[in-house]
Amino acid sequence: MAMDLSGNPSALDISAHHPDVLQERKTDVTIKHQRVSEFLEDTQYDALLLGMPEGFSWFTSGGNSSHGLSSRGYAAVFVSRDKRQVIASNVESGRLFQEEIGGLGFELVEYAWQDSLASVYKRLFGNRHVASDTGVEGTTGVNDQLKHLRLVLTPLERQRLRELGREVSYSIETTARVVPQGVTESVIAGEVARRLIKRSITPCEILVAGDDRSAQYRRPVFSDHVIQRYCMIAVYGQRNGLCAGATRCFSFGEPEKPYRKRFELACMVDATSIYYSRPGESFQTIFEHVKRVFKRYNRPNEWTICDQGGVMGTHPTELVATPDSAFHLASNMAVSWCPTVGSARSQDTVLIDDQGFEIVTRVHRWPNNKVKVKGCNVTRPGLLVR
């Protein structure tokens, strides 16, 4: 049922969804609502306001409150133990309930676009003790706590992540196989972005570095540098509120031996991180294994130059792994490790559960590297030589 602030019903049609997909999303939203209700019970808040796009998308099972690549949210979710509402202006409400959240059991709190949103919040909150992901209008900002509600993926999220991962890796690999030598990093980034957007994937982050530029800058924003020999493409793509990340490296002509060795070490560190990414394992313990590999190959300080990755979800990095973090992984989380060694980098997105790990951004038409960790073969993307 949709309503305005006075409680009057709206005539919006909110049923225009495929029934199977709609039922999956309704189940997903029910799971999220239960998690929020438990959070409210534990923290003694009366309600929760989710105004950031990632919070909105998470709770609505993939609803989009932003415009294109904008990081601004144009609607918010207001959740109590027994009710879920969407706050939106008359400009946004029609699209949201027709295309994004129709049939999912949300009420609409609609306001005229020219009205003050602060006054809308004031009337809606009343005297209630409200938490939020933004800290607006007297609410208590609890975004760091909310991240932990999102880390364990639901069944629908896991399936969506698998589909997203396949298309992210496909977009990177297809671009890497066809771009000619002598183009700029910006051209390559544009080609990847085009392929992602065609698949309704929002490019959250695209890193492209040619030759030794990625050794100088471990998070290299694409530039007008012309690719001559080596290229690294790292991409984080988002769809339905979930993110997947992957990196592929390629070479025009046979790579020199030092570069090959750096690339193989990056793969080894990545494989080690994946192997030890198990439910119950801590970031601290995984880091000990990572540091041990770097030290064995006479690069003991390599891990200090750039972060090594962490847990993914609605954000490219929900939690960054640090050497002293006591955070423990749990079943049905997604991790993405991204070790760098000089200009080489290795990365995929991996789902973990009690049975093992699943690489969701696995390679398509791309060479593989089989890295043995404790007798187990962990497949990593190889170096494509063109």
Side-chain angles (χ1 to χ4, degrees):
M1 174 67 70
M3 69 176 187
D4 61 24
L5 283 175
S6 64
N8 296 322
S10 161
L12 285 169
D13 174 15
I14 59 173
S15 61
H17 286 273
H18 190 284
D20 292 342
V21 175
L22 179 60
Q23 185 56 52
E24 289 178 341
R25 292 186 67 196
K26 288 174 71 173
T27 300
D28 198 61
V29 170
T30 299
I31 293 172
K32 310 293 180 54
H33 200 161
Q34 179 62 34
R35 290 185 189 179
V36 169
S37 296
E38 291 171 359
F39 168 79
L40 295 176
E41 187 68 30
D42 292 342
T43 57
Q44 296 302 295
Y45 290 106
D46 297 313
L48 174 67
L49 178 72
L50 298 172
M52 297 177 69
E54 54 264 39
F56 183 96
S57 189
W58 171 75
F59 192 87
T60 62
S61 188
N64 183 8
S65 66
S66 63
H67 293 171
L69 303 180
S70 170
S71 60
R72 175 186 170 187
Y74 289 84
V77 174
F78 188 62
V79 189
S80 61
R81 290 171 178 80
D82 59 356
K83 186 181 291 188
R84 46 185 183 254
Q85 299 168 295
V86 166
I87 307 166
S89 74
N90 61 308
V91 178
E92 303 294 334
S93 60
R95 185 191 71 82
L96 287 171
F97 275 81
Q98 289 286 348
E99 299 181 347
E100 302 291 345
I101 59 171
L104 297 178
F106 288 91
E107 292 181 353
L108 171 63
V109 177
E110 187 180 72
Y111 63 96
W113 67 266
Q114 69 270 25
D115 289 350
S116 165
L117 185 55
S119 65
V120 174
Y121 284 152
K122 185 177 180 180
R123 282 179 285 167
L124 185 62
F125 296 166
N127 295 321
R128 287 184 286 188
H129 188 202
V130 179
S132 75
D133 56 358
T134 58
V136 299
E137 301 303 326
T139 62
T140 304
V142 292
N143 195 41
D144 286 343
Q145 293 172 262
L146 296 177
K147 286 182 180 181
H148 291 271
L149 299 184
R150 307 194 297 249
L151 297 183
V152 175
L153 304 182
T154 65
L156 179 59
E157 287 176 326
R158 294 196 296 274
Q159 183 54 39
R160 283 175 163 176
L161 189 65
R162 292 182 182 101
E163 295 165 358
L164 173 62
R166 285 195 297 269
E167 297 189 25
V168 166
S169 59
Y170 173 84
S171 297
I172 303 172
E173 292 166 10
T174 301
T175 301
R177 287 198 305 268
V178 301
V179 292
Q181 188 175 17
V183 299
T184 66
E185 296 167 351
S186 298
V187 168
I188 293 174
E191 286 297 304
V192 176
R194 178 179 65 83
R195 289 184 168 89
L196 292 172
I197 293 172
K198 280 178 62 177
R199 292 164 175 80
S200 299
I201 299 171
T202 300
C204 298
E205 186 174 321
I206 298 179
L207 307 177
V208 182
D211 307 312
D212 289 327
R213 189 165 167 268
S214 57
Q216 186 177 6
Y217 310 109
R218 296 300 171 98
R219 289 201 178 277
V221 177
F222 52 84
S223 72
D224 291 332
H225 174 82
V226 175
I227 308 294
Q228 297 295 344
R229 191 67 186 280
Y230 306 113
C231 186
M232 181 276 293
I233 306 175
V235 170
Y236 295 91
Q238 184 185 66
R239 187 173 62 193
N240 294 320
L242 293 169
C243 291
T247 297
R248 301 292 183 261
C249 297
F250 63 98
S251 168
F252 291 105
E254 189 62 33
E256 297 174 354
K257 189 174 181 180
Y259 179 86
R260 176 74 77 173
K261 285 188 174 181
R262 291 194 296 270
F263 181 78
E264 289 174 353
L265 178 53
C267 290
M268 189 175 300
V269 174
D270 194 14
T272 300
S273 301
I274 292 171
Y275 177 82
Y276 286 103
S277 294
R278 303 175 182 182
E281 201 70 85
S282 70
F283 279 164
Q284 187 176 32
T285 301
I286 294 171
F287 242 100
E288 288 302 317
H289 294 292
V290 165
K291 290 192 286 187
R292 196 171 295 129
V293 175
F294 275 128
K295 185 176 181 180
R296 187 188 313 149
Y297 288 87
N298 299 315
R299 288 181 174 265
N301 297 317
E302 194 76 26
W303 66 269
T304 66
I305 301 173
C306 187
D307 70 88
Q308 304 295 300
V311 179
M312 298 188 74
T314 60
H315 191 272
T317 310
E318 292 276 20
L319 290 177
V320 177
T322 59
D324 56 353
S325 173
F327 175 79
H328 286 73
L329 297 174
S331 187
N332 299 319
M333 285 184 179
V335 296
S336 186
W337 306 107
C338 52
T340 58
V341 182
S343 54
R345 171 172 163 140
S346 180
Q347 180 193 12
D348 270 314
T349 297
V350 181
L351 272 171
I352 63 170
D353 60 25
D354 295 328
Q355 281 69 51
F357 62 85
E358 175 188 355
I359 299 171
V360 299
T361 50
R362 59 187 181 275
V363 300
H364 299 272
R365 292 168 50 202
W366 197 267
N368 274 321
N369 247 355
K370 291 193 182 298
V371 181
K372 195 172 287 294
V373 182
K374 295 292 184 180
C376 174
N377 281 326
V378 181
T379 301
R380 306 307 311 115
L383 177 67
L384 176 69
V385 179
R386 293 183 49 194

